[in-house]
Amino acid sequence: MQHDDLIWQVIKNNHCSYMCKITTGSFCRNVYNVTGICNRSSCPLANSRYATIRDHDGVFYLYMKTIERAHKPNELWERVKLPRNYEKAIETIDKHLEFWPKLLIHKIKQRLTKMTQCRIRMRKLELKVREKIMTVPRKEKKREARREEKAEKAAVLDKSIETELLERLKKGVYGDIYNYPVEAYNNILEMEGLQPTAVEEEEEEEEAEIEYVEGYDGLEEEEDMEDFDGFMNDEGLMGNDEGGMYEDDEEADPLEQQIAKKLRPSYGSKSQKTDSHYSVKKPNRKGRVIIEVEEEGEPKQKTLLLN
Amino acid sequence: MGGWVKRKSAGSDHDDDVDGKPKGKKIKKDKTLPSMIKNKEKRSEVYSKLKREKRIEKRKQAKAREVAIQRALELGEEPPQKSVPRTIENTREVDETICRPDDEEVMIVLSPDVMLFAANNADEFSGILKQEIIPKILITTNRFNSTRGPALCDELVSVIPNAHFYKRGTYELKKIVEYAKNKDFTSIIVVHTNRREPDAMLIIGLPDGPTAHFKLSNLILRKDIKNHGNPTSHKPELVLNNFTTTIGHRVGRMIQSLFHQDPNFRGRRVVTFHNQRDFIFFRHHRYIFETKEQKVNPKEKAAKDSKSKNLPQQKVIARLQECGPRFTLKLRTLQNGTFDTQGGEYEWVHKSDMDTSRRRFFL
């Protein structure tokens, strides 16, 4: 015989394995529970006449249990498939649970409503693009972090960037923006006899070359991505080009050094300056370069005259 | 007792016989490994002795080397060759796809190596890299982002010329790709945030360009860098280091296609993507060249430059000032075509069993 009250009295005080208590209340984890709350009226164990709605693969089923089958736990729950249409499902419920307590019918209908809403939402979400959360094992994360640190130390970044820039400078990618490296033309000074070409022609060539060299070298420079092992430095060419120019340096060495010194502070402070400052400096610098060359030209001419 | 101890420590060769290894047989290790001794005290003793001996050996070798160098400098002028230390880069596993620098330029098809480069002519970036198209970048974040994501995007906008930041609404990425195609963008960068920190970056080339998914780490924004500089709006130079294999080449060209191909050298801005052991380090600097006076050091300079006599040597150095953000990227997947995780064709996917060998790198 079924003694609902007795059952309830036994299990209500923490003796039910489906009960879980949290701060806000106690809940029932039993799958056949209509509301999900641990209550005298909602407990499927303590009510011999009970019904629920459960969903299987998007199809809703109405489960019913009556006291006549209480001794046959195998066939306890009777299952009825509910139609997809919400209104029709309500009618089906009314038909099956016609003479059942009103409270239970009400709760079942509420549950049906909630479940249909959930189903609609799930189907909408399936169509949308969602981000999938993947977990990465902690071991891998740590390993990656370790390797990254070591790689950063192995790549001495500042040094490698500086060497790359200096290589580009030596290759002549920057054209005539900077003074040529001094040791390069120290070497060249000692090399084969330099032809004293007319300095003025050299000046014009230099100015004309600025535009040409920049554009062309920009292309070249962007295409190479790794260090060139077998790049041939055209020292002969460089020597000829600069020969005329730097002949002056031999004679006007102190003058050139003075000019270099003048330039140095402006270079040094450049990095700290802001945009506006820099833009102001820019036309001056260009003007300065031209002035330099002319000054160098003068002593040369003077010496020629004297000779 | 003392005799007992002596016998054991002095006679590791005895142990050899006891262990059954015949003395006549030449094996690499004549002594027993410390790990084969079961007694902890004894084992630690043997091990410490071994270490001591090794250290002494090492010191002796170092001293011998130094003496040899000194002697060579005094007598002739040929210091003995310095031995090259073994590094991971030296001992990297050989990869067939590493493009060797035999070939100079792209056009000539001479050897099988150059064929690799020749393929570059027809890839998706060739249009931009030949300066036919000007790159235009769309930068956005993922949905539900926090402040760090947009902060990084703002800094990226200042680094990359012609970049535009658009707020991500709740648009699907595929729709964003279409929108960008209509507006003639050449690339999309999506910065993905997780737990309030940017942790991934997607670079999508357009139209139907490859999609590269990177893991972002170690992000330091400009304001957090000490003595940072402010970047100007000149077009930056690009430095791409160590992209050797075919995949590396492809990724390198992809990065190259983000930037303008005509850098303004007067601006003296350089953006660096340096690949080391599959980690791509991003740096953004302003640089200047300076000449530094160095006194002639007769020992060093005599070897190099016998011609220059007592001229004060002037060395050119480059100085860098960091500006802009700093982060590291690691390639996770490279997919042909625009972003399509399900239907797309992947060129390269990082799997965890690629990490088993410490000497194998893919970029």
Side-chain angles (χ1 to χ4, degrees):
Chain A
M1 277 199 48
Q2 279 291 77
H3 302 285
D4 296 340
D5 286 334
L6 189 61
I7 292 174
W8 179 244
Q9 272 181 20
V10 167
I11 67 176
K12 73 175 175 188
N13 292 324
N14 297 346
H15 291 294
C16 178
S17 62
Y18 298 107
M19 183 203 293
C20 34
K21 265 193 179 172
I22 58 176
T23 46
T24 44
S26 53
F27 293 92
C28 183
R29 279 202 328 254
N30 195 331
V31 288
Y32 289 105
N33 194 322
V34 175
T35 55
I37 304 170
C38 191
N39 254 339
R40 173 69 182 85
S41 55
S42 311
C43 188
L45 303 170
N47 285 310
S48 42
R49 187 162 66 155
Y50 201 72
T52 351
I53 295 186
R54 285 180 73 195
D55 126 273
H56 179 69
D57 276 354
V59 182
F60 294 155
Y61 294 95
L62 171 68
Y63 285 76
M64 291 174 288
K65 134 172 138 162
T66 48
I67 199 167
E68 285 93 13
R69 296 195 302 274
H71 62 284
K72 291 191 281 184
N74 198 17
E75 300 166 17
L76 190 55
W77 292 95
E78 179 190 340
R79 185 168 80 167
V80 173
K81 183 170 171 179
L82 291 174
R84 270 258 178 99
N85 190 348
Y86 179 67
E87 275 99 38
K88 292 224 180 97
I90 298 275
E91 282 174 19
T92 324
I93 290 174
D94 279 332
K95 194 177 71 173
H96 282 270
L97 304 180
E98 202 175 326
F99 300 112
W100 286 48
K102 296 277 187 270
L103 180 64
L104 196 57
I105 296 175
H106 182 63
K107 288 267 184 281
I108 284 173
K109 285 186 185 168
Q110 276 185 338
R111 190 179 167 90
L112 176 70
T113 320
K114 252 290 175 297
M115 285 175 87
T116 39
Q117 286 172 346
C118 265
R119 182 167 61 178
I120 293 169
R121 217 182 308 145
M122 278 201 292
R123 288 160 102 194
K124 266 199 218 164
L125 280 180
E126 279 291 319
L127 295 172
K128 274 196 191 172
V129 172
R130 298 183 77 200
E131 290 176 354
K132 186 173 176 199
I133 297 181
M134 312 251 332
T135 55
V136 177
R138 199 187 294 176
K139 203 186 202 183
E140 279 202 32
K141 269 191 276 185
K142 283 194 168 173
R143 203 198 313 154
E144 291 273 321
R146 235 183 297 137
R147 285 191 183 172
E148 191 188 317
E149 232 188 275
K150 292 191 182 171
E152 190 160 357
K153 284 192 197 148
V156 232
L157 280 163
D158 284 346
K159 239 187 187 177
S160 53
I161 298 175
E162 285 173 12
T163 40
E164 174 70 27
L165 290 172
L166 284 174
E167 267 189 45
R168 288 188 186 174
L169 180 68
K170 288 195 177 123
K171 272 192 217 166
V173 168
Y174 299 131
D176 197 30
I177 304 177
Y178 307 106
N179 287 328
Y180 285 91
V182 185
E183 56 181 1
Y185 54 73
N186 274 335
N187 284 338
I188 292 153
L189 285 176
E190 258 81 19
M191 272 208 279
E192 305 89 21
L194 309 160
Q195 301 119 14
T197 49
V199 183
E200 289 139 20
E201 284 177 39
E202 284 296 329
E203 290 170 27
E204 283 169 30
E205 272 181 30
E206 288 289 335
E207 286 174 43
E209 261 180 18
I210 287 172
E211 289 144 32
Y212 169 71
V213 161
E214 259 185 11
Y216 177 66
D217 280 344
L219 255 184
E220 223 183 44
E221 179 241 332
E222 286 304 286
E223 270 187 17
D224 57 65
M225 289 165 34
E226 45 176 354
D227 307 322
F228 270 43
D229 278 347
F231 185 83
M232 299 168 293
N233 279 320
D234 296 16
E235 275 188 320
L237 265 179
M238 255 171 66
N240 282 335
D241 276 347
E242 301 160 28
M245 267 289 287
Y246 299 100
E247 208 196 346
D248 303 326
D249 294 346
E250 241 187 325
E251 296 165 2
D253 217 358
L255 188 74
E256 199 273 337
Q257 280 187 14
Q258 273 176 33
I259 293 165
K261 279 182 189 157
K262 270 189 219 162
L263 266 185
R264 240 185 273 148
S266 73
Y267 269 116
S269 52
K270 191 144 275 178
S271 44
Q272 263 86 43
K273 297 245 159 91
T274 55
D275 292 6
S276 55
H277 233 125
Y278 177 81
S279 56
V280 167
K281 275 280 181 184
K282 206 176 157 188
N284 283 345
R285 271 191 60 226
K286 216 173 185 174
R288 257 202 191 161
V289 170
I290 298 171
I291 291 169
E292 259 177 47
V293 170
E294 282 167 15
E295 280 176 355
E296 283 172 281
E298 282 166 340
K300 169 76 179 171
Q301 285 172 351
K302 280 182 191 162
T303 51
L304 276 175
L305 284 170
L306 286 170
N307 288 338
Chain B
M1 286 275 274
W4 181 251
V5 171
K6 260 193 207 160
R7 206 195 300 163
K8 278 243 167 147
S9 58
S12 21
D13 298 326
H14 289 281
D15 281 346
D16 245 332
D17 285 331
V18 169
D19 281 345
K21 296 180 202 161
K23 261 198 165 181
K25 191 177 175 184
K26 292 273 179 182
I27 18 172
K28 280 182 189 169
K29 302 177 186 115
D30 293 325
K31 303 195 169 78
T32 41
L33 290 173
S35 54
M36 290 160 76
I37 304 173
K38 298 286 185 184
N39 186 342
K40 184 172 176 177
E41 269 190 40
K42 192 46 58 185
R43 186 174 59 230
S44 56
E45 231 183 85
V46 169
Y47 180 62
S48 58
K49 209 177 105 182
L50 208 68
K51 273 200 107 174
R52 218 180 306 144
E53 285 171 11
K54 273 193 190 169
R55 217 183 311 147
I56 292 171
E57 268 287 323
K58 213 177 173 185
R59 286 225 192 100
K60 265 197 232 165
Q61 280 185 7
K63 275 196 186 155
R65 245 184 284 138
E66 272 185 41
V67 164
I69 290 175
Q70 279 288 328
R71 210 182 302 151
L73 280 178
E74 284 164 21
L75 300 178
E77 274 189 34
E78 275 187 40
Q81 280 281 335
K82 259 191 173 178
S83 55
V84 181
R86 233 177 8 158
T87 61
I88 294 185
E89 282 77 26
N90 287 349
T91 48
R92 176 176 171 171
E93 270 183 29
V94 177
D95 200 343
E96 314 89 43
T97 57
I98 289 183
C99 310
R100 274 147 288 218
D102 304 326
D103 35 342
E104 297 255 333
E105 296 302 342
V106 187
M107 311 298 177
I108 316 162
V109 181
L110 276 181
S111 64
D113 287 338
V114 192
M115 288 296 236
L116 289 168
F117 280 98
N120 288 338
N121 272 344
D123 76 348
E124 299 96 343
F125 319 114
S126 52
I128 302 174
L129 294 183
K130 287 182 193 162
Q131 295 195 328
E132 288 161 19
I133 313 172
I134 298 180
K136 189 175 170 196
I137 320 283
L138 171 78
I139 306 188
T140 181
T141 60
N142 65 333
R143 309 177 251 193
F144 320 124
N145 55 46
S146 56
T147 30
R148 290 273 282 188
L152 174 62
C153 291
D154 285 333
E155 300 208 349
L156 280 178
V157 161
S158 71
V159 170
I160 305 177
N162 207 5
H164 306 272
F165 173 49
Y166 283 73
K167 275 195 204 161
R168 170 84 174 268
T170 45
Y171 301 113
E172 252 186 57
L173 202 52
K174 297 191 186 174
K175 297 225 175 88
I176 294 184
V177 165
E178 272 187 44
Y179 170 80
K181 271 194 222 184
N182 291 339
K183 297 261 177 158
D184 284 336
F185 281 93
T186 53
S187 311
I188 301 179
I189 299 183
V190 180
V191 172
H192 192 281
T193 322
N194 185 13
R195 286 210 190 150
R196 289 170 231 112
E197 271 281 328
D199 74 333
M201 179 145 66
L202 254 178
I203 303 186
I204 309 174
L206 301 169
D208 50 64
T211 310
H213 178 53
F214 295 96
K215 172 172 87 112
L216 219 171
S217 48
N218 252 355
L219 170 69
I220 303 181
L221 293 175
R222 186 182 305 150
K223 53 190 170 80
D224 300 327
I225 301 177
K226 275 192 178 177
N227 299 332
H228 67 264
N230 290 320
T232 56
S233 58
H234 299 96
K235 297 185 202 151
E237 267 183 70
L238 195 57
V239 168
L240 295 162
N241 280 341
N242 284 347
F243 287 91
T244 44
T245 62
T246 29
I247 305 169
H249 222 66
R250 207 156 145 70
V251 170
R253 282 173 70 89
M254 187 173 203
I255 295 173
Q256 209 178 334
S257 69
L258 295 174
F259 291 86
H260 282 223
Q261 298 308 309
D262 50 344
N264 187 347
F265 296 123
R266 291 195 182 270
R268 289 183 289 125
R269 269 175 86 195
V270 60
V271 169
T272 311
F273 287 85
H274 179 105
N275 172 36
Q276 187 84 17
R277 304 182 193 176
D278 282 356
F279 289 99
I280 304 176
F281 296 99
F282 170 90
R283 297 286 185 272
H284 178 210
H285 294 277
R286 300 202 63 200
Y287 65 90
I288 39 165
F289 292 109
E290 281 182 349
T291 49
K292 201 168 101 175
E293 289 215 11
Q294 253 188 20
K295 287 189 189 162
V296 179
N297 195 351
K299 276 190 186 170
E300 290 173 9
K301 297 295 175 182
K304 283 185 199 173
D305 213 340
S306 53
K307 291 170 185 170
S308 66
K309 305 259 162 149
N310 281 321
L311 270 172
Q313 287 284 323
Q314 283 187 317
K315 234 186 158 182
V316 185
I317 53 166
R319 282 202 309 128
L320 302 171
Q321 188 195 27
E322 181 141 13
C323 47
R326 183 202 277 201
F327 51 85
T328 46
L329 299 170
K330 183 159 202 247
L331 184 68
R332 271 215 200 118
T333 63
L334 182 61
Q335 183 204 335
N336 238 354
T338 53
F339 181 73
D340 188 353
T341 36
Q342 283 143 353
E345 172 202 335
Y346 282 95
E347 278 185 39
W348 190 81
V349 175
H350 174 262
K351 294 236 164 82
S352 51
D353 53 323
M354 291 177 171
D355 287 338
T356 47
S357 163
R358 290 188 206 177
R359 303 278 187 266
R360 184 162 67 153
F361 307 113
F362 300 95
L363 281 188

